[in-house]
Amino acid sequence: MCITINTSYNLNLTLGQAFCQKGNYYMYTIGQVSEIFHLPISTLRYYDKQGFFPDLKRKGNVRYFSENELEALRIIECLKNSGLEIKDIQQFFVWVKEGSSSYEKRKELFEARKLAVEEEINALQKTLSLLKFKCWYYETAIADGNEDGVNAMLPDKLPDNIQSHLNLSFLLFAQQLFGGSSWWKNYF
């Protein structure tokens, strides 16, 4: 028999699954946490061995995760997805244990990761613009039966929405090619 427990996570649990409610909070098994975060159980075990869950409850060989461990996982996954390595994530957790004296270090870490993610998003946006332009390019060439009409519009007689995609993609290319030099910006 499957039941749905009204927690912050939609879990379908059989009555035989280990799921505990203690006081006003829930405890989750490693399998449930794996399902919630879409992480392999081996990854959760690795994080545990790395010391990310110092207060993790165990009963026999079964790990029970509280909201504290789930919050730690959200931070770990956020930092990992931002490109931070495990050793650097461990350093963050050391700073957390240090308390308020490490607020500035933690803020600097998150500011640096935010900047890195923004730069990556910017680069991906430019890549997406080139992909959109090329999709339009080939849709138009297919409709026309050749590339002559599209090529006649290049580089600056394209429909406005397509022109903006091409300009943004060229901007990426120029930045990569010329780096800090800005002479080429007048052309876009």
Side-chain angles (χ1 to χ4, degrees):
M1 172 178 177
C2 236
I3 58 173
T4 299
I5 305 288
N6 188 17
T7 68
S8 23
Y9 308 100
N10 293 321
L11 295 174
N12 291 316
L13 308 172
T14 63
L15 291 176
Q17 286 179 305
F19 179 83
C20 307
Q21 181 178 0
K22 297 193 177 213
N24 291 328
Y25 64 94
Y26 291 95
M27 301 294 287
Y28 303 89
T29 64
I30 198 167
Q32 293 161 341
V33 174
S34 172
E35 182 180 336
I36 291 167
F37 284 89
H38 307 287
L39 290 171
I41 290 173
S42 60
T43 299
L44 297 170
R45 289 184 179 132
Y46 173 75
Y47 290 164
D48 185 23
K49 287 178 185 171
Q50 296 303 308
F52 288 122
F53 313 126
D55 300 323
L56 186 68
K57 306 287 184 239
R58 286 183 169 77
K59 195 172 189 181
N61 285 335
V62 180
R63 295 168 172 93
Y64 291 98
F65 292 75
S66 70
E67 288 296 328
N68 291 335
E69 285 79 33
L70 298 187
E71 181 59 25
L73 268 173
R74 283 188 278 276
I75 298 298
I76 293 165
E77 289 301 296
C78 171
L79 291 173
K80 193 171 84 174
N81 289 335
S82 77
L84 209 59
E85 295 181 12
I86 291 294
K87 66 181 177 63
D88 298 318
I89 297 171
Q90 287 173 317
Q91 180 59 59
F92 169 77
F93 280 91
V94 167
W95 290 336
V96 169
K97 288 178 188 173
E98 291 174 2
S100 60
S101 66
S102 66
Y103 283 168
E104 193 63 37
K105 293 175 189 173
R106 289 186 258 169
K107 180 182 176 286
E108 288 172 9
L109 173 75
F110 279 101
E111 290 288 342
R113 297 322 311 151
K114 180 177 75 93
L115 180 61
V117 168
E118 288 170 346
E119 288 172 355
E120 186 175 340
I121 288 170
N122 189 33
L124 286 172
Q125 190 62 47
K126 292 171 185 173
T127 300
L128 179 60
S129 285
L130 181 57
L131 293 170
K132 287 180 178 181
F133 166 74
K134 293 308 268 183
C135 287
W136 172 85
Y137 180 97
Y138 287 110
E139 285 171 12
T140 305
I142 290 168
D144 293 348
N146 61 52
E147 299 174 51
D148 296 343
V150 176
N151 287 331
M153 291 187 256
L154 291 174
D156 58 357
K157 295 178 183 75
L158 298 164
D160 288 343
N161 62 328
I162 301 303
Q163 189 70 53
S164 65
H165 291 307
L166 181 63
N167 291 352
L168 191 56
S169 66
F170 275 136
L171 185 62
L172 169 66
F173 173 74
Q175 285 174 337
Q176 290 171 339
L177 189 60
F178 302 112
S181 176
S182 62
W183 66 266
W184 49 267
K185 290 182 180 177
N186 296 331
Y187 296 98
F188 299 102

